[in-house]
Amino acid sequence: MGSAVALLREDLITRIGDNVVSDDPERLAAYASDTYWRELAAQAAGDPLGRPDLVAVPRDEAGVSAALELADEHRVPVVPWGGGSGTQGGAVPVRGGLLLDLSGLDRILGIDERSLTVSAEAGVNGRRLERELNERGLMLPHYPASAEWATVGGYIAARGSGVLSTRYGKIEDLVLSLRVVLAGGEVIESVGVPRHAVGPELAQLFVGSEGTLGAITRASLRLAPLPAERRFATVTLPSIGAGIEAFRRVLAAGHRPSVIRMYDDEATRLALSPVVGEQLEGVCAVLCFEGEPEAVAVEAERTLASVREQGGRQLDPALAETWWERRYEFYYPPHQPELPAIWGTIDVVAPYSRIEPVYHALRAAVKEPYAHTGLQLRMHFSHWYPWGTMIYARFVIPDGGDTERGVELHDRVWDDGVEAVFATGGVINDHHGVGLKLAPYMERQHGAALGAMRRIKAALDPNGIMNPGKLGL
Ligand SMILES: Cc1cc2nc3c(=O)[nH]c(=O)nc-3n(C[C@H](O)[C@H](O)[C@H](O)COP(=O)(O)OP(=O)(O)OC[C@H]3O[C@@H](n4cnc5c(N)ncnc54)[C@H](O)[C@@H]3O)c2cc1C
């Protein structure tokens, strides 16, 4: 590939300028890894899973189009890069090639306060967008814990979710339309509104496509007004089953609390208690209700009544408010584990009829068999839908030993966790995406449908340049 990359470099410099193209080794090293544990471990051992040969940071869509046209011509792999905050290895350039850093497309193009929409380029940073919207009394109600680093394009490409999703939906519910550059350089745009009957909704094909079908350059997204009131409650429940039933009933009745975050015993002790600054025990949940005060009052009252019906009771609401204020702190050092620890989040989703067996099977598969390693497993339920909910199962092994042993242990925990989820009818990811991490399980997850996805990929990217090795495609 050496000569193809050299030719691509020359052509790129001619078309989009030498100040946005680099093959400086130090620069390239910064793009070897997102936050996938296996890649971080490989890098620390001096043997990264991938490394780009070239990076381009175009400043506009024409630059992206030129890059994809030229890369296709020279058959050089392209890996789109947003903020590099992904947890699945989606942005790791496992086959080298061109790293297409989209952070140069950083314009907020327009805010329509009447329609409650924003049009933004893909590289706009999440935190910056939120600040600018808040100044106008608006918000993009997609609050992932990674907003500091992540981009609009990364939100969409990884099919993510934010802390307020129970009320406002996941990113796929917030995307109104997209502009995408395909391999070969063609620019396409989906219909300007998401509700229409002029054929299938093309934007959704690219939501969750993780850079394998094209580079998203622009999105129109749904906004919400900043709520007039945000009210908090903290509750404890007699069991996970009682909690699932209490909140299932709330969702079934049409209520949409913005936050329902229910922790199992271990997560209450190890994850919730340090955040709220008080040692809590048992199954606990922090709740948030927001919107117009009258509606908030009704929703809070009905939700707390449902908790009581299932044998739960209220704790100090100030605990939930403290959680809200400090909720991101624990994603930063010194609270995050570091190598040689092993960590990962097995996040799964299932209908209400299956979610409890999934929870118990996942816990049984990942907790006891690894007790000798000191594995901690913190499981909470944080995104609720009218038909089901999800489990965020964060495991940490304090000392994984040397890299070889660590990788073997890491992979075994994942295999066992995923097997338990499949065996009980769950789906292996709710919002972190697939990347490298879950690619080996895609055949099992999708069955024959993966073949259909591969044919779509082949039609849109006939030379297979877009993010090869990802999504199991
Ligand atoms: C501490 C921490 C907390 C997190 N919390 C959350 C959370 O609450 N919710 C959540 O959903 N996720 C969370 N994540 C995961 C991650 O931040 C999200 O998946 C995020 O949306 C990724 O955005 P990014 O811009 O960093 O994308 P990247 O990591 O750069 O890329 C992710 C994938 O999308 C592709 N991609 C990026 N931009 C484009 C584009 N413009 N066009 C086409 N493909 C593109 C990449 O090739 C890659 O496959 C968290 C991660 C960390 C480290």
Side-chain angles (χ1 to χ4, degrees), residues 80 82-86 90 102 122 144-146 150-151 154-155 157-158 160-161 210-211 214-216 431 467:
S85 71
L102 289 141
S146 54
T151 59
Y155 285 171
S161 187
E210 300 184 14
I216 298 162
H431 64 265
N467 210 359

Side-chain angles (χ1 to χ4, degrees), residues 409-425:
L409 190 54
H410 170 271
D411 290 358
R412 231 170 353 109
V413 173
W414 273 97
D415 273 346
D416 291 351
V418 166
E419 180 53 43
V421 173
F422 279 138
T424 41

Side-chain angles (χ1 to χ4, degrees), residues 6-72:
L7 291 171
L8 172 61
R9 180 176 171 278
E10 268 175 41
D11 286 352
L12 273 174
I13 289 172
T14 310
R15 286 281 289 279
I16 62 174
D18 64 354
N19 55 341
V20 294
V21 180
S22 174
D23 58 0
D24 171 41
E26 239 173 76
R27 213 51 225 283
L28 296 179
Y31 291 107
S33 176
D34 57 10
T35 67
Y36 176 30
W37 181 87
R38 225 169 176 283
E39 166 54 28
L40 296 176
Q43 227 178 18
D47 188 17
L49 301 180
R51 195 188 164 85
D53 297 297
L54 206 56
V55 56
V57 194
R59 303 291 310 178
D60 54 25
E61 187 177 77
V64 176
S65 170
L68 293 195
E69 180 194 328
L70 296 169
D72 199 43

Side-chain angles (χ1 to χ4, degrees), residues 261-283:
R261 200 171 176 103
M262 179 173 79
Y263 297 77
D264 74 359
D265 296 44
E266 190 168 349
T268 293
R269 268 185 291 111
L270 299 176
L272 179 60
S273 296
V275 179
V276 298
E278 188 172 319
Q279 195 53 49
L280 301 172
E281 302 290 338
V283 175

Side-chain angles (χ1 to χ4, degrees), residues 66-354:
L68 293 195
E69 180 194 328
L70 296 169
D72 199 43
E73 209 174 289
H74 294 291
R75 307 285 193 270
V76 171
V78 178
V79 180
W81 176 280
S85 71
T87 53
Q88 313 295 79
V92 178
V94 279
R95 311 235 174 112
L98 174 67
L99 195 299
L100 189 63
D101 179 344
L102 289 141
S103 64
L105 274 69
D106 62 356
R107 291 176 305 155
I108 297 171
L109 299 160
I111 298 171
D112 179 343
E113 297 193 22
R114 186 133 194 244
S115 312
L116 291 176
T117 64
V118 61
S119 171
E121 289 189 318
V124 172
N125 168 265
R127 187 66 82 222
R128 183 190 136 213
L129 178 59
E130 196 54 25
R131 250 195 324 268
E132 297 204 15
L133 292 169
N134 290 174
E135 278 166 17
R136 298 171 184 237
L138 300 169
M139 62 176 178
L140 172 67
H142 179 69
Y143 279 26
S146 54
E148 201 68 50
W149 312 284
T151 59
V152 164
Y155 285 171
I156 297 165
R159 214 172 161 88
S161 187
V163 74
L164 302 176
S165 71
T166 301
R167 182 172 184 81
Y168 300 100
K170 288 178 78 235
I171 197 71
E172 60 266 33
D173 303 305
L174 302 174
V175 168
L176 301 175
S177 68
L178 293 180
R179 280 172 74 94
V180 179
V181 180
L182 302 177
E186 186 186 0
V187 181
I188 61 166
E189 184 165 13
S190 68
V191 176
V193 297
R195 298 284 173 261
H196 60 75
V198 288
E201 178 38 46
L202 206 52
Q204 288 297 331
L205 178 63
F206 295 92
V207 182
S209 64
E210 300 184 14
T212 61
L213 301 181
I216 298 162
T217 49
R218 189 182 291 191
S220 169
L221 299 161
R222 182 161 71 81
L223 304 176
L226 282 173
E229 184 184 352
R230 206 163 251 156
R231 185 184 294 190
F232 297 92
T234 318
V235 298
T236 180
L237 290 132
S239 66
I240 283 293
I244 292 171
E245 185 55 15
F247 300 125
R248 182 194 72 76
R249 290 183 183 198
V250 169
L251 272 284
H255 301 297
R256 295 291 177 272
S258 53
V259 177
I260 302 175
R261 200 171 176 103
M262 179 173 79
Y263 297 77
D264 74 359
D265 296 44
E266 190 168 349
T268 293
R269 268 185 291 111
L270 299 176
L272 179 60
S273 296
V275 179
V276 298
E278 188 172 319
Q279 195 53 49
L280 301 172
E281 302 290 338
V283 175
C284 289
V286 289
L287 310 174
C288 179
F289 311 94
E290 63 187 58
E292 292 301 309
E294 302 78 14
V296 165
V298 171
E299 201 159 72
E301 186 198 308
R302 298 283 159 79
T303 304
L304 294 173
S306 186
V307 166
R308 283 194 300 275
E309 276 163 28
Q310 296 303 316
R313 65 186 166 83
Q314 252 191 287
L315 302 174
D316 183 357
L319 295 169
E321 195 161 358
T322 304
W323 169 82
W324 174 258
E325 280 154 14
R326 301 188 66 199
R327 67 194 185 282
Y328 293 143
E329 272 177 42
F330 285 73
Y331 290 96
Y332 292 89
H335 304 291
Q336 282 299 302
E338 283 177 14
L339 295 167
I342 303 173
W343 63 89
T345 303
I346 307 174
D347 68 297
V348 303
V349 59
Y352 288 117
S353 54
R354 287 189 221 132

